[in-house]
C-alpha cells in the first residue's frame, strides 16, 4: 500500500487553509511548481480529487475538506511521537515554535530572550507574532508548539499556565483637553474620547472588561491596529487610552508627551503560556514558563523608576 508523506499532508493542509497555490507554497517555503507536484502526487496516492482547479481559483472538494481534517490529526500524532522521543533529551534543547501576540512580544521578548539564550544555548526558538485567534489555530494545527497570550481568553483542548499580572494604566498627554486630572483620577471624559485597538485584538476586550468601560458613548469610533499607532493617536491628543504596565521601560513612549497614571482600582490582564492538552513536552513547557516568569519579574522590577 502506498502511503502519503508527511510533507504532502502538510502541503495539502496549507492549501486547504489558503485556498491559493501561490500563497500556500509561500507559507511552506517551497516553489509553486514543487508544491503543485506534491499535491498531484497526493491525489494519485489517495486516488481522489482533492481540489478543483481553475485559472484563478482553487476550490477544495467535499472529500478534500474531510481529508484535511484527518491530515491535521495525522500530523499532530506524528509530532506527538517526536515530542515523546525528545522528552528523553535535556530540557529546552532543539527546535521550539512559539506564537506570541503583538501586545506582548515587543515588551516581553527583549527582556527575556537574552537570558533564555544564555541559559539554554541549544534551544532553537522560532517565533510567530499574530493575534490570539490565529496563533491558537496554528497551535491546534500543529504549526506551533506553544503560545504566549493574554488571559482570560476562551481556549479549548489546551493547558494554560498563568505567568504574571500585567496591570492597566491610564494613558494621555499631560496637557490633554479630554479630561480634568485630579489626584490621578480622571473624571468627566468627553464623548468618544477613549481610544482602543481595533476588533480582533484581545487587548481591546481586556481593556473594556478590566477597566470597567461600560459607557460605550465614551469609546471613539476611531481605532488603532497596533499599540504604536494607538500611542501616536494619544500623543496627538485625539483621545486617551489604557496601556499595559509592561510598556514601562520600553521605547513605546520615548519621544512622546504621553504619560501614564495608575488607576484607582487594580485592573489587569494576565500573561500566560498555552500548549496542546496531552503534549509529551508538558514538563518542558512548564519549566520554560517558570523561567519566563522569574526572569520577567526580576528584570521588570529592576527597570521600574523609583
Amino acid at each position: 500500500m502506498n502511503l502519503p508523506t508527511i510533507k504532502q499532508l502538510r502541503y495539502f493542509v496549507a492549501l486547504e487553509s489558503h485556498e491559493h497555490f501561490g500563497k500556500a507554497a509561500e507559507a511552506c517555503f517551497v516553489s509553486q511548481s514543487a508544491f503543485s507536484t506534491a499535491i498531484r502526487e497526493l491525489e494519485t496516492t489517495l486516488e481522489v480529487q482533492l481540489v478543483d482547479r481553475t485559472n484563478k481559483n482553487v476550490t477544495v472538494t467535499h472529500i478534500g475538506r474531510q481529508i484535511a481534517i484527518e491530515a491535521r490529526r495525522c500530523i499532530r500524532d506524528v509530532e506527538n511521537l517526536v515530542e515523546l522521543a525528545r522528552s528523553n533529551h535535556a530540557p529546552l534543547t532543539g527546535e521550539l515554535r512559539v506564537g506570541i501576540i503583538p501586545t506582548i512580544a515587543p515588551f516581553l521578548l527583549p527582556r527575556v530572550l537574552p537570558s533564555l539564550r544564555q541559559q539554554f544555548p541549544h534551544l532553537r526558538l522560532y517565533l510567530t507574532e499574530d493575534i490570539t485567534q490565529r496563533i491558537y489555530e496554528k497551535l491546534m494545527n500543529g504549526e506551533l508548539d506553544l503560545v504566549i497570550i493574554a488571559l482570560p481568553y476562551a481556549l479549548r483542548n489546551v493547558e494554560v499556565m498563568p505567568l504574571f499580572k500585567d496591570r492597566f494604566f491610564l494613558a494621555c498627554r499631560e496637557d490633554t483637553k479630554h479630561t480634568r486630572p485630579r489626584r490621578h483620577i480622571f473624571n468627566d471624559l468627553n464623548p468618544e474620547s477613549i481610544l482602543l485597538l481595533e476588533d480582533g485584538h484581545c487587548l481591546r476586550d481586556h481593556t473594556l472588561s478590566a477597566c470597567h468601560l461600560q459607557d460605550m458613548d465614551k469609546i471613539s469610533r476611531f481605532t488603532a491596529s497596533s499599540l504604536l499607532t494607538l500611542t501616536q493617536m494619544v500623543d496627538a491628543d485625539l483621545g486617551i487610552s489604557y496601556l499595559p504596565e509592561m510598556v514601562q521601560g520600553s521605547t513605546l513612549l520615548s519621544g512622546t508627551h504621553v504619560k501614564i497614571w495608575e488607576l484607582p482600582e487594580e485592573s489587569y490582564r494576565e500573561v500566560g503560556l498555552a500548549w496542546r492538552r496531552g503534549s509529551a513536552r508538558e514538563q518542558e513547557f512548564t519549566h520554560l514558563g517558570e523561567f519566563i516568569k522569574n526572569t520577567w519579574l526580576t528584570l521588570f522590577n529592576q527597570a521600574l523608576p523609583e
Side-chain angles (χ1 to χ4, degrees):
M1 178 188 295
N2 291 329
L3 298 176
T5 67
I6 294 297
K7 181 176 71 174
Q8 290 170 343
L9 295 180
R10 284 191 183 279
Y11 286 3
F12 179 59
V13 166
L15 182 59
E16 194 265 345
S17 297
H18 292 278
E19 295 190 340
H20 188 280
F21 273 91
K23 292 179 181 178
E26 183 179 356
C28 294
F29 304 101
V30 66
S31 69
Q32 187 169 338
S33 59
F35 184 91
S36 299
T37 299
I39 298 299
R40 289 194 186 93
E41 290 174 348
L42 178 61
E43 289 179 316
T44 299
T45 299
L46 297 177
E47 298 181 348
V48 68
Q49 185 173 347
L50 299 174
V51 294
D52 293 326
R53 301 167 175 84
T54 65
N55 290 334
K56 294 184 178 180
N57 300 314
V58 172
T59 303
V60 180
T61 62
H62 177 68
I63 186 63
R65 298 286 185 191
Q66 294 177 299
I67 289 175
I69 294 173
E70 295 301 324
R72 289 186 172 92
R73 291 175 181 168
C74 291
I75 293 170
R76 284 201 297 269
D77 286 343
V78 172
E79 289 178 339
N80 287 338
L81 183 150
V82 175
E83 288 182 356
L84 180 61
R86 285 177 178 172
S87 65
N88 278 331
H89 299 167
L92 296 176
T93 58
E95 179 180 307
L96 186 63
R97 299 163 299 172
V98 179
I100 185 168
I101 60 175
T103 59
I104 291 178
F107 314 111
L108 179 70
L109 296 180
R111 292 185 172 107
V112 171
L113 285 186
S115 298
L116 186 65
R117 294 191 188 101
Q118 185 176 12
Q119 184 73 23
F120 304 102
H122 300 295
L123 177 65
R124 299 193 304 276
L125 202 62
Y126 296 90
L127 297 168
T128 297
E129 183 180 310
D130 210 333
I131 62 174
T132 306
Q133 185 59 35
R134 286 200 283 264
I135 61 174
Y136 168 66
E137 291 171 357
K138 291 180 179 180
L139 174 70
M140 301 313 294
N141 289 340
E143 298 175 55
L144 296 173
D145 299 310
L146 74 161
V147 294
I148 301 176
I149 58 174
L151 305 170
Y153 195 90
L155 301 170
R156 298 177 58 190
N157 299 317
V158 300
E159 296 292 339
V160 176
M161 179 183 179
L163 300 180
F164 55 85
K165 293 179 180 179
D166 186 28
R167 295 185 301 163
F168 284 104
F169 281 66
L170 186 64
C172 62
R173 278 187 66 106
E174 196 167 18
D175 57 350
T176 181
K177 64 184 180 183
H178 292 278
T179 66
R180 291 184 293 180
R182 179 174 56 84
R183 296 181 181 178
H184 301 311
I185 300 175
F186 292 75
N187 300 315
D188 302 323
L189 285 174
N190 299 324
E192 296 196 35
S193 59
I194 299 177
L195 300 166
L196 298 174
L197 291 179
E198 62 189 6
D199 288 334
H201 289 273
C202 60
L203 184 64
R204 176 187 177 89
D205 297 329
H206 289 153
T207 303
L208 288 170
S209 176
C211 299
H212 311 293
L213 302 180
Q214 299 176 350
D215 186 355
M216 299 308 294
D217 290 337
K218 304 292 186 182
I219 309 300
S220 175
R221 292 169 293 173
F222 300 99
T223 59
S225 60
S226 68
L227 278 180
L228 178 60
T229 302
L230 184 65
T231 303
Q232 294 301 316
M233 292 169 72
V234 173
D235 190 38
D237 205 25
L238 300 179
I240 64 99
S241 190
Y242 297 83
L243 294 177
E245 183 178 22
M246 59 170 49
V247 306
Q248 293 188 87
S250 72
T251 59
L252 183 68
L253 303 182
S254 298
T256 73
H257 295 91
V258 176
K259 305 295 180 182
I260 59 176
W261 284 268
E262 290 188 21
L263 296 172
E265 297 180 3
E266 186 178 16
S267 305
Y268 63 89
R269 63 178 182 170
E270 199 159 25
V271 176
L273 291 183
W275 56 85
R276 291 184 298 276
R277 185 170 297 160
S279 173
R281 303 176 72 182
E282 180 172 349
Q283 186 174 0
E284 185 179 13
F285 296 156
T286 302
H287 184 50
L288 175 63
E290 290 294 338
F291 180 87
I292 293 175
K293 174 182 177 180
N294 294 332
T295 302
W296 169 261
L297 292 176
T298 298
L299 296 179
F300 185 71
N301 289 334
Q302 291 176 351
L304 289 180
E306 297 182 359

